[in-house]
Amino acid sequence: MSVMEMSHRGKEFLSIIQKAESDLRTLLSIPEEYAVLFLQGGATTQFAAIPLNICTPNDAVDYVVTGSWGDKAYKEAVKYCKPNVIWSGKSEKYTKIPNFDTLEPNPDARYLHICANETIHGVEFKNYPTPIGEKTVLVADMSSNFCSKPVDVSKFGIIYAGAQKNVGPSGVTIVIIKKDLIGNAQGSTPVMLDYKIHAENNSLYNTPPCYGIYMCGLVFEDLLEQGGLGEVEKKNKKKAEILYEAIDSSNGFYRCPVEKSVRSLMNVPFTLAKPELEGEFVKTAAGEEMVQLKGHRSVGGMRASIYNAMPLAGVEKLVAFMKEFQAKHG
Amino acid sequence: MSVMEMSHRGKEFLSIIQKAESDLRTLLSIPEEYAVLFLQGGATTQFAAIPLNICTPNDAVDYVVTGSWGDKAYKEAVKYCKPNVIWSGKSEKYTKIPNFDTLEPNPDARYLHICANETIHGVEFKNYPTPIGEKTVLVADMSSNFCSKPVDVSKFGIIYAGAQKNVGPSGVTIVIIKKDLIGNAQGSTPVMLDYKIHAENNSLYNTPPCYGIYMCGLVFEDLLEQGGLGEVEKKNKKKAEILYEAIDSSNGFYRCPVEKSVRSLMNVPFTLAKPELEGEFVKTAAGEEMVQLKGHRSVGGMRASIYNAMPLAGVEKLVAFMKEFQAKHG
């Protein structure tokens, strides 16, 4: 019987989802006082679920907006509480992360929201702000760097992530939430967005995305076998290092717009000094089996996404190609 | 490159989702004025999405409750509009479907909601009510009999279905909605529950469950190759016929509580005259590779789910087993 055919309430699937949760807890050293939920609907669903679950409509919350995803999260929260953008990188085309000490967070904010890694712009928090308000918890969208490196979960109220970048197929969303935040959803919260329902039912309130959860479990096993997230981070650093080095040593032929100290280990955006060559770059690379290098339609240029599953050899091949391309067109 | 690795915006995946939609349109003869959406979150998410999208908080709506799923749908709607249960089968343990002519629907209802097939109780609408109100549209949860037989889509405002019974793995929800119902969502509707967002973005507003949609597309192809839903219905009728016949001719050893005229072609619940034998029935059947025969925990007894993918030979094997079991214990 395939995982796609099993009853999600049968003991076979129960052992799959329990093993997946247990391995994820080991990987991230998730403390006992946090619940782990396997949900649906992507990070975008959580943009609404978070304020609906932990705020009243009058609660103030703070957003640090370092890219398109943080901006979308903020805009959704407007429907359910009183969000305030305490910093936005928009005017600098989302190439920076602010120094939190220079900001003025609201001490009464229910939460402070960040997007740990902005997929489209390639900016990544290297350390996390500590909220100043007594009742303020840190909430992070980790969709595009989840399980790419160790994280101190105890610093967060909620960590959430779509699975599809590093840990499984699209269609699974993982929420790690401090248990004392669960149970106060606004009355209008759809049952499927209510963390209490999912926590009480161990993510089995209705039929979950069984096959996707099974795949996530296989990935968690693999990450543990690799030696855990410390080892995974080393590999990711090495991959990013040689790619950024290739860009920075190209005498301006390639250019990464992101401030060096906050460059993402996962998403490396870059442009060509001669934009008219970008089409040829993408096309020639595809001819050598390096695909999906076109930048997001909203920013243009190129973007190399080098998630956990991309081997060092893949990045080395790209770097060699970039040097060749430059030699030919530089 | 696997479907799990593709960008959901790349031309490879676009051709997959477009082909899936096109084949589904052929299968169900879906008129041009209906949109087809591939979503996440199961039917349970639609229990909220439907009133949020097509009602104001003051709109009256009618529910015919023929089982647990219809009851859940009603309870969720209470948050978003003014639902009224115009008929409930609860007092008769959900074994009947009412004659619509005897009911008193609200002529001002925005919609009339039914669950076309109640998975747990095994009752199925054999024909569909025609709403009497001028602005009332018929809304049906078809999760557990979707694509099991032809349906006249034009009679409905919205048809919705979790994919996991007949057309794909869990994690995909299909919504077929008359386009003129789209675009009036309540202000508090989460963006992921707003049909307008998904219709405008061809179900690609955020990363969809790509692999699940791919699998649904393969199933639609297969159903077309089988000759379409008329042929599929013939097979399903034959399967159900021999199973109900085995129950009804058992001199009361087996018993199906559902009124004969509305027995489901998909889910066949039955009990043993000697309930103390039920455990052995399930266990012995499992020993012969017939699994998941235990009834839902809320009703007990047995339940044989004979969805599209169950071959006639599987049902024949079960029937032979039932006769043997009766011969031994009757």
Side-chain angles (χ1 to χ4, degrees), chain A residues 4 6-7 9 40-41 44-45 76 79-80 164 170-171 188-192 206-208 210 215 292 297, chain B residues 4 6-7 9 40-41 44-45 76 79-80 164 170-171 188-192 206-208 210 215 292 297:
Chain A
M4 295 193 202
M6 291 176 183
S7 161
R9 300 197 186 281
Q40 296 186 60
T44 307
T45 300
E76 185 75 348
K79 298 176 188 165
Y80 311 109
Q164 67 271 15
S170 58
S188 64
T189 307
V191 67
M192 284 296 288
N206 71 341
T207 314
C210 298
M215 293 289 290
Q292 301 187 354
R297 63 214 155 101
Chain B
M4 295 192 202
M6 291 176 184
S7 162
R9 300 196 187 282
Q40 296 186 58
T44 307
T45 300
E76 184 75 347
K79 298 176 188 164
Y80 310 109
Q164 68 271 17
S170 59
S188 64
T189 306
V191 66
M192 284 297 287
N206 72 340
T207 315
C210 298
M215 294 289 290
Q292 302 188 354
R297 63 213 155 104

Side-chain angles (χ1 to χ4, degrees), chain B residues 179-299:
Chain B
K179 288 177 185 167
D180 62 13
L181 294 172
I182 297 173
N184 299 299
Q186 293 180 24
S188 64
T189 306
V191 66
M192 284 297 287
L193 270 64
D194 188 338
Y195 296 141
K196 181 161 184 270
I197 295 287
H198 295 296
E200 283 176 353
N201 289 278
N202 299 310
S203 305
L204 300 170
Y205 176 70
N206 72 340
T207 315
C210 298
Y211 190 72
I213 292 170
Y214 165 70
M215 294 289 290
C216 289
L218 294 182
V219 173
F220 299 151
E221 272 181 24
D222 177 67
L223 296 176
L224 285 171
E225 275 166 24
Q226 288 184 42
L229 298 183
E231 290 304 310
V232 170
E233 181 181 31
K234 275 185 209 163
K235 292 180 195 173
N236 286 328
K237 276 189 169 163
K238 177 74 187 162
K239 282 150 52 184
E241 208 173 87
I242 66 166
L243 186 46
Y244 285 117
E245 168 61 22
I247 293 166
D248 291 340
S249 66
S250 70
N251 293 316
F253 185 81
Y254 301 108
R255 199 181 151 270
C256 171
V258 179
E259 192 178 274
K260 283 192 179 177
S261 64
V262 295
R263 286 177 170 177
S264 167
L265 297 188
M266 299 282 105
N267 311 99
V268 180
F270 58 97
T271 53
L272 291 188
K274 304 173 186 165
E276 66 276 16
L277 286 175
E278 290 181 354
E280 191 173 339
F281 182 96
V282 170
K283 201 180 138 189
T284 317
E288 301 192 16
E289 300 191 318
M290 288 175 286
V291 295
Q292 302 188 354
L293 282 165
K294 201 162 181 241
H296 191 273
R297 63 213 155 104
S298 64
V299 293

